[in-house]
Amino acid sequence: DVKTLANDDARSHDLDDQLALAFRVSGLPVPDQIAKRTSPRPVAPEAWIRLSASGGDADAGGRLFEHPNSGGCFHCHTVNGRGGRIGPDLSLIARSSSRTKLAESILRPSKEIAPQFTSWTLVTRDGRVVVGVIVGEDREGHVRVGTPEGTIVELAASNIEERHPQNKSVMPDNLIDSFTPDEFRDLIAFLTALK
């Protein structure tokens, strides 16, 4: 039947998109047989924003949010008590952000950074350089820094020789490279359901 053929075609299309993504992420050229069956991939941020303006599967987006190999959003962001505490808590993000703003925040993470999420470069007395968001300082003289990889590094405040604020977000600029077009739409659908 026509509906079954359409569903099979969509699943095949999704598989081709996933395979192409795996090749790109691995730094390998996408084979022509796969490339000609993939979804058109937007290039400019505006095209990604238009793509994410509607649709998507919020449940699939939630799985992507928590999956370590597809952007790893949960390493830095909390949703409903689960996840990292490096970036903003996104549990209620849809109350204050539209689909467009959410998409742009992923595509251009350094465009608008809240002061508490300023990224810092810290240089220790022994020459070690740590870049990330300061997530805590305690009275015992420890500074905890959340890195772009989603890990927390603890430093002795007395060992920090230099602190320099950055105008760049700790969130990677190229995060979109780890999503297919449908996955990006799913992720935005998930985030817009967080009210």
Side-chain angles (χ1 to χ4, degrees):
D1 96 13
V2 174
K3 188 174 181 180
T4 302
L5 287 173
N7 286 340
D8 288 345
D9 188 49
R11 278 192 289 275
S12 173
H13 190 62
D14 289 344
L15 179 59
D16 290 329
D17 287 347
Q18 288 291 329
L19 287 169
L21 179 63
F23 277 102
R24 277 194 302 279
V25 168
S26 300
L28 299 170
V30 178
D32 289 341
Q33 296 93 338
I34 294 172
K36 63 184 166 189
R37 295 190 312 254
T38 60
S39 302
R41 190 169 177 83
V43 178
E46 291 74 19
W48 281 101
I49 291 168
R50 280 191 304 276
L51 170 85
S52 66
S54 64
D57 178 339
D59 291 334
R63 290 188 297 273
L64 286 167
F65 184 90
E66 293 185 7
H67 197 285
N69 294 333
S70 67
C73 308
F74 79 100
H75 287 302
C76 296
H77 296 283
T78 301
V79 170
N80 300 325
R82 294 180 55 190
R85 304 205 186 286
I86 295 169
D89 183 327
L90 301 178
S91 301
L92 303 173
I93 193 66
R95 289 184 180 177
S96 60
S97 295
S98 66
R99 285 180 83 104
T100 298
K101 184 168 172 97
L102 290 167
E104 187 166 44
S105 295
I106 295 168
L107 295 161
R108 297 179 178 124
S110 297
K111 182 177 180 184
E112 190 177 317
I113 304 169
Q116 69 269 32
F117 297 108
T118 296
S119 185
W120 292 81
T121 297
L122 305 168
V123 182
T124 63
R125 295 189 190 287
D126 60 0
R128 181 177 176 200
V129 176
V130 178
V131 176
V133 175
I134 296 174
V135 294
E137 294 188 60
D138 61 31
R139 291 182 181 172
E140 287 77 41
H142 299 104
V143 177
R144 288 180 305 288
V145 181
T147 69
E149 295 78 29
T151 60
I152 303 290
V153 175
E154 190 167 296
L155 303 170
S158 60
N159 192 33
I160 298 171
E161 195 166 83
E162 299 175 33
R163 293 184 188 208
H164 304 284
Q166 304 297 307
N167 59 2
K168 189 167 172 49
S169 173
V170 73
M171 191 162 116
D173 288 328
N174 60 347
L175 197 57
I176 195 65
D177 295 346
S178 51
F179 296 105
T180 67
D182 284 342
E183 287 174 337
F184 186 63
R185 189 182 294 119
D186 293 343
L187 180 63
I188 299 301
F190 168 69
L191 294 172
T192 56
L194 299 174
K195 299 178 182 177

